[in-house]
Amino acid sequence: MRKRNFILLALFSLLIVLGGCSRRNASQKIITTTVNTYKEPIQSVVGDKYQVESIIKSVNVDPHSFSASSNNAKQVADSRLIVANGLGYDDWVEKIVAANSQEDNMIDFSRDVLKKDNGDNEHVWFGVKNVQKLSRAVYKHMAKVDPKNRTYYQANFKEYYLKLNRLIQREKALKKYTAGKKAYVTEPLPYYLLKDLDVTIANQHFAKAIEEDTDPSIKDVKNMETGLKNHKVSFLVVNKQVTSGIITKMTTLAKKHHVPIIYFTETLPSDLGYYSWMDQNISQIERIVKE
């Protein structure tokens, strides 16, 4: 897991206290998600009953090094539901939730819904079936805390679940072309998507080092360079939100040797919802393997 740039303990303590002191006697019509990735899945379930707001809204913000503000703490304190990714990806929210006694109103997607443990790949949203499970969990939670609208939430959940099924069917069709192929990734961002497509990540040690902000070993670098030169992989996946000298070197080498490059973002562009974003991700792979 990438090293986190934590803010000073004293500052963070002040932040969460401010959040706790600022709780308003409002109707709690806000639902908070730490990253915008989950805004559409949640909003699709709660419909017009609640407004879903994400704290991290831009692809220009690195969730791994994000520092919450006092306004973020106030938002969490006043939320009817808080959805976090978990597995250390956004653990700053856990302290704010605890300071405001909001534990019962929090869903930790990775741990509570997917039953994953520390050390598992944290980029769980790249699995469409995972997001279907999240939408179900949101429906169940909202039906419990707002039972008079249970039928409404259930109908919305079923509609969105079926919409996501269209992406899953696309993946199944694409798997005829991708099964057994290998890919390089600059970090293990698309792990769940590639797994669903039966694509093997052939440079796991290299990718893990980049994710943890450490230098890949000389052996891993040489193996990847050789692989790109000799077309041992079908494509290279690059996280557009992370740049470094070694990543630039590998993308340049891939271009030189005509290895297709796929660019993914870690969080969603502000003009896209989850469905359209994943649809585009799948389309990028589809175009390459069907050429």
Side-chain angles (χ1 to χ4, degrees):
M1 187 180 300
R2 185 181 304 172
K3 293 178 180 177
R4 308 293 193 255
N5 296 321
F6 291 113
I7 60 177
L8 294 174
L9 178 60
L11 179 61
F12 194 87
S13 298
L14 175 61
L15 182 153
I16 59 179
V17 168
L18 286 172
C21 293
S22 67
R23 182 187 294 274
R24 298 185 295 272
N25 293 321
S27 56
Q28 289 189 312
K29 287 295 183 180
I30 297 175
I31 291 176
T32 293
T33 176
T34 54
V35 289
N36 64 351
T37 314
Y38 301 128
K39 182 173 181 177
E40 179 191 280
I42 301 167
Q43 194 74 68
S44 296
V45 174
V46 300
D48 60 6
K49 304 300 180 185
Y50 291 84
Q51 180 62 40
V52 181
E53 297 288 347
S54 54
I55 291 177
I56 298 177
K57 301 178 175 68
S58 171
V59 294
N60 297 319
V61 178
D62 184 355
H64 299 90
S65 57
F66 178 77
S67 295
S69 68
S70 58
N71 285 337
N72 299 146
K74 292 175 184 178
Q75 180 178 328
V76 170
D78 203 39
S79 293
R80 193 67 185 87
L81 171 65
I82 304 99
V83 176
N85 186 80
L87 297 179
Y89 191 76
D90 45 14
D91 50 7
W92 46 268
V93 77
E94 296 177 10
K95 296 176 182 179
I96 302 176
V97 165
N100 291 281
S101 302
Q102 283 280 57
E103 291 91 342
D104 290 342
N105 288 325
M106 177 176 169
I107 293 177
D108 183 316
F109 181 20
S110 299
R111 293 188 178 90
D112 298 341
V113 180
L114 301 178
K115 309 303 180 185
K116 293 190 176 297
D117 297 316
N118 289 336
D120 290 335
N121 189 291
E122 61 193 9
H123 307 101
V124 290
W125 61 91
F126 270 92
V128 180
K129 291 181 181 178
N130 290 344
V131 176
Q132 281 184 321
K133 292 178 181 178
L134 174 63
S135 65
R136 183 189 297 274
V138 171
Y139 149 58
K140 292 289 187 181
H141 179 89
M142 297 310 300
K144 181 178 179 181
V145 300
D146 185 16
K148 71 178 186 298
N149 289 308
R150 177 186 178 90
T151 302
Y152 176 78
Y153 299 135
Q154 183 180 45
N156 288 348
F157 154 66
K158 288 181 177 178
E159 181 178 355
Y160 191 66
Y161 187 95
L162 291 175
K163 181 177 181 179
L164 292 181
N165 264 346
R166 297 202 291 269
L167 292 178
I168 293 172
Q169 292 307 311
R170 284 198 66 198
E171 290 178 345
K172 287 182 178 178
L174 184 56
K175 194 173 180 179
K176 297 176 183 177
Y177 298 89
T178 58
K181 291 187 180 298
K182 295 181 179 180
Y184 286 148
V185 299
T186 56
E187 60 179 290
L189 187 68
Y191 169 83
Y192 294 97
L193 174 57
L194 296 184
K195 183 179 179 181
D196 288 341
L197 295 174
D198 196 20
V199 176
T200 300
I201 295 176
N203 65 332
Q204 293 190 35
H205 289 161
F206 177 96
K208 189 66 174 175
I210 296 297
E211 185 184 37
E212 294 179 343
D213 284 338
T214 60
D215 293 329
S217 69
I218 295 175
K219 179 181 179 181
D220 287 339
V221 171
K222 288 188 176 296
N223 285 343
M224 192 169 170
E225 289 174 339
T226 300
L228 290 171
K229 291 175 183 178
N230 295 300
H231 289 262
K232 292 186 177 181
V233 295
S234 298
F235 51 86
L236 167 68
V237 181
V238 176
N239 179 0
K240 290 178 68 174
Q241 291 176 249
V242 177
T243 58
S244 69
I246 189 64
I247 292 175
T248 299
K249 180 180 181 179
M250 290 305 174
T251 54
T252 300
L253 192 62
K255 291 175 183 177
K256 179 179 179 180
H257 294 279
H258 306 290
V259 176
I261 301 175
I262 296 172
Y263 292 95
F264 286 161
T265 56
E266 191 161 338
T267 50
L268 272 60
S270 58
D271 60 338
L272 288 180
Y274 177 79
Y275 181 92
S276 296
W277 178 74
M278 277 299 293
D279 188 58
Q280 291 183 12
N281 291 339
I282 294 169
S283 292
Q284 286 194 74
I285 297 175
E286 186 176 50
R287 283 193 295 268
I288 287 174
V289 299
K290 286 188 175 182
E291 286 181 351

